C-alpha cells in the first residue's frame, strides 16, 4: 500500500525542476521502510505495555509512557511503502499486549479485539503523513492519536473495543490525575501525546542533522516546545485547581463499611455444583468473623454496611412484572436455555435468594415455613456452620441497624421483536431486616461475549466457544443508567450511593450520569474479576476506579470477589487496599473503611460535560487535522 504523501513526493521528484504549477515544491521527507516503521510502532506500545498497572508494579509506572507516542509519531509522519500495513500490524500487536489478560478467559477473542481497534490508530498515521510539515508533531501527533482514541473508544463491539486509553496510565500520578475533574482521561491522553510529539520533533532534528545534503525546513523548536510542554503545564495547573476544590468541599466521615472478599476461583463460581456449601456458607462465616474480630479497642464501632461481591447471593430474584409476563407466555431467549422454565422454578429461586439474605438478619422464613428444608440445608453436621444454631433460634448474624449489599442475578422483562421475553440482570440488592430496601440496581454495560452475545450471536463458533467456557450462553441486558441507592446508617444518617457492577467500572458515563441527575455522596462498585486470574486486568480496573474518583471528586469503594477490593478517595488516591502479606489478588480477607463524603456536594466540570466531551474532543481533533491537510496542500502547491 502506498500513501498519498509518498505518491506526491515521487511526482515532485520526477519533474525536471522539482516544481509544481505554483512554484518550487518543498523537499520530500525521507522515506521509512516497513521493518523500521513496525519497530517504531512496537516501541511505542512496548513503553505503554510496561507502563500499564500490574506489569512492572501493581499501580504501574505511568511516567514510562510520557513520551511513548514519540516513536510512532516519528515513523507515521514519514512516507514509505506499505506504511499503513506496517502500522496496523504494530498497533494490533501492541493492543494485544494490553489486552493479554483475555487469554485467561477466551483466547479466541484476543485477535479480533486487537486487530479491529488497531485500524483507527493506523488511519491516524495516514492523517499524519497528509499533514506533515503543516505544524510541529508536538501538535499534530496528539491530535491524531486522540482522535483515533475517541473513535476506538466510541464505536461499539464488534467495530471496536475501547477499554484502554493512554491517559489511564496517569491514575497514580498525583500531580496530574486531579486534572481529570475538568477533561477526564481525554485531557491526560492529549497531554501525553503532546510530549511524545515533542520527542518526535527533537529526534527528527537530530536525525536530519546527520543526513548529507540540505535539510528540509523544520518547524521552530521554540514553537514545538511550547506545543509539547504547554499542555502538561496546563494539566498541572488544573490538578492544583482540582485539589483546591476537593479541600473546599470539606469531606466528612461517611458510612462505616465492611467489604468481604472470599477469593473464589471462577471455575468454582461458574460450576455452581454446590453454591450453598462452596460459596454462601464460607462467605457468611467470614463475614461473621470479620464483624466479631473487628470489634477491638481500636475499632469498637459496628459497620453500617456489609458488602459482598458480584452475583454472590444464591438464587435469582424477580424484577417487577416477571411472573405476570411469564403467565402471559413470555419465556427466555431460545439460545440461552436448553430446557423449559417452570413458574415454580422462578418462584423458588426468588424465595431462596431473599431468604438467604434474610438469614443474616435472623428473619429466615425457611426455618418456619419449611422446617424440613431448613434441616436439609443446615442440619447436616458435615455442613453446619458455626452460626446455624443462632439463625435457627431467630438470632441475627449482623448487628441491628447494619445493612447488607450484594450482587445477585435477577429475571426481568424486555421486548424482542415486539414480543416480551425474559432476560437476565446482573443486579445489586440492598437489604435490611425488612428485606429489599429499594428496587434492584443493575449493570449498564454488558461484557461482550461474557454477558451478552447479541453483537456476536450470528457467528456460530463464538456462541459455541462461549458455551464451552462459561457452561451457558449469557442473556444479560443492561439498564440505561445505574441506580442511586439510599443507605441509612446505624446513627440514622442517610447517604446516596451510586451503585455500579464490574465492567461498568471501565466507563465514564456510569459515574457521571447519576451526578447530573441527583446528588451522590459516594460510589460503590461490586465486581468479579476472577475470570481473568491474577492478571493485570484487576490492576486496570483499580486504575479506572481511581480515574473515575478524580473525575467526579467522589470516593469509590470497590467490593470484589477476588480482588482488588479498595477504597479510593475523592482525589483518586488509594485510602485503603485489601492486602494479605502484600498480595492484593486472589486472597481472602475483609476491608473495613470509613467512606469520606462531601459536606456540600458539587459537580465537577467533567461530570457536567462528560456526555459531550467525546464528541467535542473528536470534532476539535478532526477540525485541526482538516486544517493541517489544507495547509499541507497549500504548502505543496505554492
Amino acid at each position: 500500500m502506498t500513501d498519498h504523501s509518498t505518491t506526491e513526493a515521487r511526482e515532485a521528484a520526477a519533474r525536471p525542476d522539482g516544481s509544481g504549477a505554483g512554484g518550487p515544491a518543498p523537499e520530500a521527507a525521507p522515506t521509512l521502510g516497513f521493518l523500521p516503521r513496525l519497530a517504531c510502532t512496537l516501541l511505542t506500545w512496548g513503553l505503554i505495555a510496561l507502563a500499564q498497572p500490574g506489569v512492572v508494579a501493581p499501580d504501574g509506572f505511568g511516567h514510562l509512557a510520557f513520551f511513548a507516542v514519540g516513536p510512532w509519531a516519528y515513523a507515521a509522519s514519514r512516507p514509505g511503502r506499505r506504511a499503513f500495513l506496517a502500522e496496523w500490524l504494530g498497533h494490533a500487536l501492541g493492543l494485544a499486549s494490553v489486552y493479554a489478560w483475555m487469554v485467561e478467559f477466551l483466547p479466541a477473542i484476543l485477535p479480533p479485539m486487537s486487530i479491529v481497534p488497531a485500524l483507527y490508530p493506523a488511519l491516524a498515521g495516514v492523517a499524519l503523513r497528509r499533514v506533515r510539515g503543516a505544524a510541529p508533531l508536538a501538535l499534530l501527533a496528539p491530535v491524531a492519536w486522540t482522535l483515533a482514541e475517541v473513535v476506538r473508544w466510541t464505536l461499539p463491539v464488534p467495530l471496536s473495543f475501547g477499554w484502554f486509553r493512554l491517559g489511564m496510565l496517569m491514575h497514580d500520578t498525583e500531580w496530574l490525575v486531579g486534572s481529570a475533574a475538568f477533561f477526564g482521561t481525554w485531557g491526560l491522553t492529549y497531554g501525553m501525546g503532546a510530549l511524545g510529539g515533542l520527542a518526535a520533533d527533537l529526534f527528527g532534528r537530530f536525525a536530519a542533522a546527520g543526513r548529507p545534503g540540505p535539510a528540509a525546513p523544520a518547524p521552530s523548536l521554540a514553537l514545538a516546545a511550547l506545543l509539547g510542554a504547554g499542555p502538561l503545564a496546563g494539566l498541572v495547573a488544573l490538578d492544583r485547581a482540582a485539589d483546591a476544590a476537593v479541600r473546599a468541599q470539606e469531606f466528612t466521615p461517611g458510612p462505616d463499611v465492611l467489604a468481604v472478599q472470599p477469593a473464589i476461583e471462577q471455575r468454582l463460581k461458574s460450576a455452581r455444583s454446590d453454591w450453598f456449601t462452596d460459596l454462601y456458607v464460607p462467605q457468611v462465616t467470614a463475614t461473621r468473623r470479620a464483624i466479631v474480630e473487628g470489634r477491638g479497642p481500636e475499632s469498637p464501632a459496628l459497620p453500617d454496611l456489609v458488602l459482598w461481591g458480584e452475583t454472590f447471593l444464591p438464587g435469582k430474584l424477580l424484577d417487577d412484572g416477571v411472573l405476570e409476563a411469564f403467565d402471559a407466555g413470555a419465556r427466555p431467549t431460545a439460545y440461552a436455555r436448553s430446557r423449559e422454565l417452570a413458574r415454580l422454578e422462578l418462584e423458588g429461586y426468588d424465595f431462596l435468594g431473599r431468604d438467604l439474605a434474610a438469614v443474616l438478619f435472623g428473619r429466615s422464613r425457611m426455618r418456619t415455613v419449611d422446617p424440613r428444608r431448613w434441616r436439609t440445608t443446615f442440619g447436616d453436621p458435615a455442613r453446619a456452620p458455626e452460626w446455624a444454631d443462632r439463625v435457627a433460634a431467630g438470632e441475627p448474624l449482623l448487628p441491628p441497624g447494619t445493612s447488607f449489599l450484594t450482587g445477585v442475578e435477577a429475571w426481568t422483562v424486555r421486548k424482542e421483536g415486539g414480543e416480551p421475553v425474559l432476560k437476565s440482570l446482573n443486579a445489586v440488592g440492598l437489604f435490611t431486616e425488612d428485606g429489599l430496601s429499594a428496587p434492584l440496581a443493575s449493570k449498564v454495560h454488558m461484557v461482550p461475549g461474557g454477558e451478552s452475545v447479541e453483537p456476536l450471536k450470528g457467528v456460530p463458533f463464538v456462541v459455541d466457544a462461549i458455551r464451552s467456557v462459561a457452561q451457558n450462553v449469557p442473556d444479560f441486558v443492561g439498564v440505561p443508567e445505574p441506580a442511586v441507592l439510599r443507605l441509612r446508617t446505624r446513627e440514622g444518617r442517610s447517604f446516596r450511593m451510586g451503585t455500579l457492577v464490574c465492567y461498568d467500572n471501565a466507563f465514564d458515563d456510569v459515574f457521571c450520569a447519576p451526578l447530573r441527575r441527583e446528588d451522590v455522596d459516594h460510589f460503590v462498585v461490586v465486581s468479579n474479576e476472577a475470570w481473568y486470574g491474577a492478571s493485570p486486568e484487576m490492576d486496570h480496573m483499580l486504575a479506572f476506579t481511581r480515574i473515575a474518583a478524580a473525575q467526579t471528586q467522589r470516593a469509590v469503594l470497590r467490593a470484589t470477589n477476588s480482588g482488588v477490593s479498595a477504597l479510593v478517595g475523592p482525589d483518586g488516591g488509594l485510602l485503603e487496599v485489601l492486602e494479605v502479606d502484600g498480595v492484593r489478588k486472589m486472597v481472602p480477607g475483609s476491608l473495613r473503611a470509613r467512606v469520606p463524603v462531601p459536606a456540600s456536594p458539587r459537580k465537577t466540570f467533567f461530570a457536567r460535560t462528560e456526555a459531550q466531551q467525546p464528541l467535542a474532543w473528536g470534532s476539535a481533533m478532526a477540525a485541526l487535522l482538516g486544517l493541517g491537510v489544507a495547509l499541507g496542500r497549500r504548502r505543496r502547491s505554492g
Side-chain angles (χ1 to χ4, degrees), residues 7-34:
T7 303
E8 288 183 347
R10 288 176 178 171
E11 289 174 352
R15 300 184 185 114
D17 59 352
S19 64
E27 183 174 336
T31 60
L32 199 64
F34 182 92

PDB file of all heavy atoms in Angstrom, residues 7-34:
ATOM      1  N   THR A   7       3.186   9.224  -2.993  1.00  0.00           N
ATOM      2  CA  THR A   7       2.949   9.445  -4.422  1.00  0.00           C
ATOM      3  C   THR A   7       3.279  10.878  -4.812  1.00  0.00           C
ATOM      4  O   THR A   7       3.929  11.130  -5.830  1.00  0.00           O
ATOM      5  CB  THR A   7       1.480   9.138  -4.764  1.00  0.00           C
ATOM      6  OG1 THR A   7       1.197   7.801  -4.360  1.00  0.00           O
ATOM      7  CG2 THR A   7       1.219   9.299  -6.241  1.00  0.00           C
ATOM      8  N   GLU A   8       2.857  11.832  -3.985  1.00  0.00           N
ATOM      9  CA  GLU A   8       3.136  13.232  -4.289  1.00  0.00           C
ATOM     10  C   GLU A   8       4.628  13.517  -4.282  1.00  0.00           C
ATOM     11  O   GLU A   8       5.143  14.272  -5.105  1.00  0.00           O
ATOM     12  CB  GLU A   8       2.430  14.123  -3.270  1.00  0.00           C
ATOM     13  CG  GLU A   8       0.915  14.156  -3.458  1.00  0.00           C
ATOM     14  CD  GLU A   8       0.263  15.109  -2.483  1.00  0.00           C
ATOM     15  OE1 GLU A   8       0.958  15.535  -1.534  1.00  0.00           O
ATOM     16  OE2 GLU A   8      -0.918  15.429  -2.672  1.00  0.00           O
ATOM     17  N   ALA A   9       5.340  12.911  -3.320  1.00  0.00           N
ATOM     18  CA  ALA A   9       6.783  13.131  -3.263  1.00  0.00           C
ATOM     19  C   ALA A   9       7.467  12.610  -4.520  1.00  0.00           C
ATOM     20  O   ALA A   9       8.368  13.242  -5.072  1.00  0.00           O
ATOM     21  CB  ALA A   9       7.348  12.451  -2.016  1.00  0.00           C
ATOM     22  N   ARG A  10       7.015  11.427  -5.003  1.00  0.00           N
ATOM     23  CA  ARG A  10       7.618  10.865  -6.205  1.00  0.00           C
ATOM     24  C   ARG A  10       7.303  11.727  -7.425  1.00  0.00           C
ATOM     25  O   ARG A  10       8.156  11.948  -8.295  1.00  0.00           O
ATOM     26  CB  ARG A  10       7.096   9.448  -6.423  1.00  0.00           C
ATOM     27  CG  ARG A  10       7.654   8.448  -5.408  1.00  0.00           C
ATOM     28  CD  ARG A  10       7.026   7.097  -5.605  1.00  0.00           C
ATOM     29  NE  ARG A  10       7.588   6.116  -4.684  1.00  0.00           N
ATOM     30  CZ  ARG A  10       7.099   4.896  -4.518  1.00  0.00           C
ATOM     31  NH1 ARG A  10       6.036   4.511  -5.202  1.00  0.00           N
ATOM     32  NH2 ARG A  10       7.673   4.067  -3.669  1.00  0.00           N
ATOM     33  N   GLU A  11       6.046  12.233  -7.503  1.00  0.00           N
ATOM     34  CA  GLU A  11       5.692  13.071  -8.646  1.00  0.00           C
ATOM     35  C   GLU A  11       6.511  14.348  -8.655  1.00  0.00           C
ATOM     36  O   GLU A  11       6.963  14.824  -9.708  1.00  0.00           O
ATOM     37  CB  GLU A  11       4.200  13.394  -8.584  1.00  0.00           C
ATOM     38  CG  GLU A  11       3.318  12.192  -8.882  1.00  0.00           C
ATOM     39  CD  GLU A  11       1.855  12.506  -8.676  1.00  0.00           C
ATOM     40  OE1 GLU A  11       1.569  13.621  -8.146  1.00  0.00           O
ATOM     41  OE2 GLU A  11       1.003  11.672  -9.027  1.00  0.00           O
ATOM     42  N   ALA A  12       6.741  14.921  -7.476  1.00  0.00           N
ATOM     43  CA  ALA A  12       7.531  16.149  -7.416  1.00  0.00           C
ATOM     44  C   ALA A  12       8.969  15.880  -7.829  1.00  0.00           C
ATOM     45  O   ALA A  12       9.597  16.675  -8.530  1.00  0.00           O
ATOM     46  CB  ALA A  12       7.482  16.728  -5.995  1.00  0.00           C
ATOM     47  N   ALA A  13       9.505  14.756  -7.403  1.00  0.00           N
ATOM     48  CA  ALA A  13      10.893  14.431  -7.742  1.00  0.00           C
ATOM     49  C   ALA A  13      11.053  14.157  -9.238  1.00  0.00           C
ATOM     50  O   ALA A  13      12.120  14.353  -9.816  1.00  0.00           O
ATOM     51  CB  ALA A  13      11.350  13.223  -6.927  1.00  0.00           C
ATOM     52  N   ALA A  14       9.959  13.699  -9.892  1.00  0.00           N
ATOM     53  CA  ALA A  14      10.059  13.363 -11.313  1.00  0.00           C
ATOM     54  C   ALA A  14      10.027  14.585 -12.203  1.00  0.00           C
ATOM     55  O   ALA A  14      10.414  14.524 -13.368  1.00  0.00           O
ATOM     56  CB  ALA A  14       8.899  12.421 -11.695  1.00  0.00           C
ATOM     57  N   ARG A  15       9.571  15.739 -11.693  1.00  0.00           N
ATOM     58  CA  ARG A  15       9.528  16.939 -12.508  1.00  0.00           C
ATOM     59  C   ARG A  15      10.948  17.438 -12.767  1.00  0.00           C
ATOM     60  O   ARG A  15      11.805  17.391 -11.870  1.00  0.00           O
ATOM     61  CB  ARG A  15       8.718  18.024 -11.815  1.00  0.00           C
ATOM     62  CG  ARG A  15       7.266  17.617 -11.554  1.00  0.00           C
ATOM     63  CD  ARG A  15       6.497  18.777 -10.943  1.00  0.00           C
ATOM     64  NE  ARG A  15       5.143  18.337 -10.580  1.00  0.00           N
ATOM     65  CZ  ARG A  15       4.687  18.258  -9.341  1.00  0.00           C
ATOM     66  NH1 ARG A  15       5.470  18.601  -8.333  1.00  0.00           N
ATOM     67  NH2 ARG A  15       3.458  17.852  -9.105  1.00  0.00           N
ATOM     68  N   PRO A  16      11.228  17.963 -13.965  1.00  0.00           N
ATOM     69  CA  PRO A  16      12.590  18.411 -14.290  1.00  0.00           C
ATOM     70  C   PRO A  16      13.128  19.429 -13.299  1.00  0.00           C
ATOM     71  O   PRO A  16      14.308  19.383 -12.947  1.00  0.00           O
ATOM     72  CB  PRO A  16      12.433  18.998 -15.703  1.00  0.00           C
ATOM     73  CG  PRO A  16      11.238  18.315 -16.278  1.00  0.00           C
ATOM     74  CD  PRO A  16      10.317  18.075 -15.128  1.00  0.00           C
ATOM     75  N   ASP A  17      12.295  20.375 -12.873  1.00  0.00           N
ATOM     76  CA  ASP A  17      12.808  21.403 -11.981  1.00  0.00           C
ATOM     77  C   ASP A  17      12.361  21.193 -10.545  1.00  0.00           C
ATOM     78  O   ASP A  17      12.594  22.024  -9.683  1.00  0.00           O
ATOM     79  CB  ASP A  17      12.358  22.796 -12.448  1.00  0.00           C
ATOM     80  CG  ASP A  17      10.833  22.910 -12.483  1.00  0.00           C
ATOM     81  OD1 ASP A  17      10.154  21.871 -12.287  1.00  0.00           O
ATOM     82  OD2 ASP A  17      10.332  24.034 -12.697  1.00  0.00           O
ATOM     83  N   GLY A  18      11.692  20.042 -10.331  1.00  0.00           N
ATOM     84  CA  GLY A  18      11.220  19.742  -8.989  1.00  0.00           C
ATOM     85  C   GLY A  18      10.151  20.677  -8.517  1.00  0.00           C
ATOM     86  O   GLY A  18       9.975  20.880  -7.325  1.00  0.00           O
ATOM     87  N   SER A  19       9.408  21.309  -9.430  1.00  0.00           N
ATOM     88  CA  SER A  19       8.402  22.281  -9.017  1.00  0.00           C
ATOM     89  C   SER A  19       7.035  21.859  -9.475  1.00  0.00           C
ATOM     90  O   SER A  19       6.864  21.064 -10.381  1.00  0.00           O
ATOM     91  CB  SER A  19       8.727  23.665  -9.585  1.00  0.00           C
ATOM     92  OG  SER A  19       8.667  23.621 -10.996  1.00  0.00           O
ATOM     93  N   GLY A  20       6.033  22.448  -8.858  1.00  0.00           N
ATOM     94  CA  GLY A  20       4.650  22.228  -9.259  1.00  0.00           C
ATOM     95  C   GLY A  20       4.157  23.445 -10.020  1.00  0.00           C
ATOM     96  O   GLY A  20       4.907  24.345 -10.378  1.00  0.00           O
ATOM     97  N   ALA A  21       2.863  23.448 -10.232  1.00  0.00           N
ATOM     98  CA  ALA A  21       2.279  24.537 -11.006  1.00  0.00           C
ATOM     99  C   ALA A  21       2.452  25.870 -10.323  1.00  0.00           C
ATOM    100  O   ALA A  21       2.534  26.896 -10.964  1.00  0.00           O
ATOM    101  CB  ALA A  21       0.792  24.261 -11.243  1.00  0.00           C
ATOM    102  N   GLY A  22       2.527  25.886  -8.993  1.00  0.00           N
ATOM    103  CA  GLY A  22       2.589  27.148  -8.289  1.00  0.00           C
ATOM    104  C   GLY A  22       3.981  27.551  -7.894  1.00  0.00           C
ATOM    105  O   GLY A  22       4.152  28.549  -7.210  1.00  0.00           O
ATOM    106  N   GLY A  23       5.025  26.792  -8.218  1.00  0.00           N
ATOM    107  CA  GLY A  23       6.376  27.149  -7.832  1.00  0.00           C
ATOM    108  C   GLY A  23       7.132  25.966  -7.295  1.00  0.00           C
ATOM    109  O   GLY A  23       6.708  24.832  -7.415  1.00  0.00           O
ATOM    110  N   PRO A  24       8.309  26.182  -6.681  1.00  0.00           N
ATOM    111  CA  PRO A  24       9.145  25.093  -6.204  1.00  0.00           C
ATOM    112  C   PRO A  24       8.438  24.278  -5.138  1.00  0.00           C
ATOM    113  O   PRO A  24       7.776  24.805  -4.256  1.00  0.00           O
ATOM    114  CB  PRO A  24      10.373  25.822  -5.625  1.00  0.00           C
ATOM    115  CG  PRO A  24      10.333  27.180  -6.226  1.00  0.00           C
ATOM    116  CD  PRO A  24       8.904  27.489  -6.451  1.00  0.00           C
ATOM    117  N   ALA A  25       8.548  22.958  -5.260  1.00  0.00           N
ATOM    118  CA  ALA A  25       7.965  22.063  -4.258  1.00  0.00           C
ATOM    119  C   ALA A  25       8.918  21.930  -3.082  1.00  0.00           C
ATOM    120  O   ALA A  25      10.128  21.974  -3.238  1.00  0.00           O
ATOM    121  CB  ALA A  25       7.711  20.684  -4.863  1.00  0.00           C
ATOM    122  N   PRO A  26       8.401  21.751  -1.899  1.00  0.00           N
ATOM    123  CA  PRO A  26       9.263  21.547  -0.752  1.00  0.00           C
ATOM    124  C   PRO A  26       9.998  20.222  -0.856  1.00  0.00           C
ATOM    125  O   PRO A  26       9.559  19.300  -1.534  1.00  0.00           O
ATOM    126  CB  PRO A  26       8.274  21.528   0.427  1.00  0.00           C
ATOM    127  CG  PRO A  26       6.968  21.130  -0.184  1.00  0.00           C
ATOM    128  CD  PRO A  26       6.981  21.698  -1.543  1.00  0.00           C
ATOM    129  N   GLU A  27      11.107  20.145  -0.188  1.00  0.00           N
ATOM    130  CA  GLU A  27      11.904  18.924  -0.238  1.00  0.00           C
ATOM    131  C   GLU A  27      11.122  17.773   0.355  1.00  0.00           C
ATOM    132  O   GLU A  27      10.479  17.909   1.396  1.00  0.00           O
ATOM    133  CB  GLU A  27      13.203  19.123   0.552  1.00  0.00           C
ATOM    134  CG  GLU A  27      14.124  17.906   0.473  1.00  0.00           C
ATOM    135  CD  GLU A  27      15.453  18.194   1.135  1.00  0.00           C
ATOM    136  OE1 GLU A  27      15.809  19.377   1.227  1.00  0.00           O
ATOM    137  OE2 GLU A  27      16.134  17.246   1.546  1.00  0.00           O
ATOM    138  N   ALA A  28      11.113  16.620  -0.339  1.00  0.00           N
ATOM    139  CA  ALA A  28      10.364  15.454   0.117  1.00  0.00           C
ATOM    140  C   ALA A  28      10.960  14.916   1.404  1.00  0.00           C
ATOM    141  O   ALA A  28      12.169  14.920   1.604  1.00  0.00           O
ATOM    142  CB  ALA A  28      10.378  14.373  -0.956  1.00  0.00           C
ATOM    143  N   ALA A  29      10.091  14.423   2.285  1.00  0.00           N
ATOM    144  CA  ALA A  29      10.549  13.822   3.538  1.00  0.00           C
ATOM    145  C   ALA A  29      11.224  12.492   3.242  1.00  0.00           C
ATOM    146  O   ALA A  29      10.835  11.777   2.315  1.00  0.00           O
ATOM    147  CB  ALA A  29       9.358  13.607   4.462  1.00  0.00           C
ATOM    148  N   PRO A  30      12.241  12.113   4.015  1.00  0.00           N
ATOM    149  CA  PRO A  30      12.881  10.812   3.818  1.00  0.00           C
ATOM    150  C   PRO A  30      11.891   9.692   4.103  1.00  0.00           C
ATOM    151  O   PRO A  30      11.089   9.773   5.025  1.00  0.00           O
ATOM    152  CB  PRO A  30      14.021  10.834   4.826  1.00  0.00           C
ATOM    153  CG  PRO A  30      13.623  11.832   5.855  1.00  0.00           C
ATOM    154  CD  PRO A  30      12.840  12.868   5.125  1.00  0.00           C
ATOM    155  N   THR A  31      11.938   8.672   3.280  1.00  0.00           N
ATOM    156  CA  THR A  31      11.020   7.550   3.451  1.00  0.00           C
ATOM    157  C   THR A  31      11.510   6.639   4.572  1.00  0.00           C
ATOM    158  O   THR A  31      12.660   6.710   4.999  1.00  0.00           O
ATOM    159  CB  THR A  31      10.903   6.745   2.152  1.00  0.00           C
ATOM    160  OG1 THR A  31      12.208   6.242   1.798  1.00  0.00           O
ATOM    161  CG2 THR A  31      10.362   7.621   1.027  1.00  0.00           C
ATOM    162  N   LEU A  32      10.600   5.779   5.023  1.00  0.00           N
ATOM    163  CA  LEU A  32      10.915   4.827   6.087  1.00  0.00           C
ATOM    164  C   LEU A  32      10.438   3.462   5.643  1.00  0.00           C
ATOM    165  O   LEU A  32       9.318   3.312   5.141  1.00  0.00           O
ATOM    166  CB  LEU A  32      10.220   5.239   7.389  1.00  0.00           C
ATOM    167  CG  LEU A  32      10.767   4.644   8.681  1.00  0.00           C
ATOM    168  CD1 LEU A  32      12.199   5.116   8.934  1.00  0.00           C
ATOM    169  CD2 LEU A  32       9.882   5.043   9.862  1.00  0.00           C
ATOM    170  N   GLY A  33      11.267   2.457   5.804  1.00  0.00           N
ATOM    171  CA  GLY A  33      10.933   1.110   5.378  1.00  0.00           C
ATOM    172  C   GLY A  33       9.915   0.437   6.279  1.00  0.00           C
ATOM    173  O   GLY A  33       9.594   0.908   7.374  1.00  0.00           O
ATOM    174  N   PHE A  34       9.437  -0.724   5.822  1.00  0.00           N
ATOM    175  CA  PHE A  34       8.401  -1.467   6.539  1.00  0.00           C
ATOM    176  C   PHE A  34       8.873  -1.879   7.927  1.00  0.00           C
ATOM    177  O   PHE A  34       8.180  -1.633   8.925  1.00  0.00           O
ATOM    178  CB  PHE A  34       8.015  -2.706   5.725  1.00  0.00           C
ATOM    179  CG  PHE A  34       6.911  -3.527   6.333  1.00  0.00           C
ATOM    180  CD1 PHE A  34       5.588  -3.295   6.003  1.00  0.00           C
ATOM    181  CD2 PHE A  34       7.194  -4.545   7.249  1.00  0.00           C
ATOM    182  CE1 PHE A  34       4.569  -4.051   6.563  1.00  0.00           C
ATOM    183  CE2 PHE A  34       6.190  -5.299   7.815  1.00  0.00           C
ATOM    184  CZ  PHE A  34       4.873  -5.052   7.476  1.00  0.00           C
TER     185      PHE A  34
END
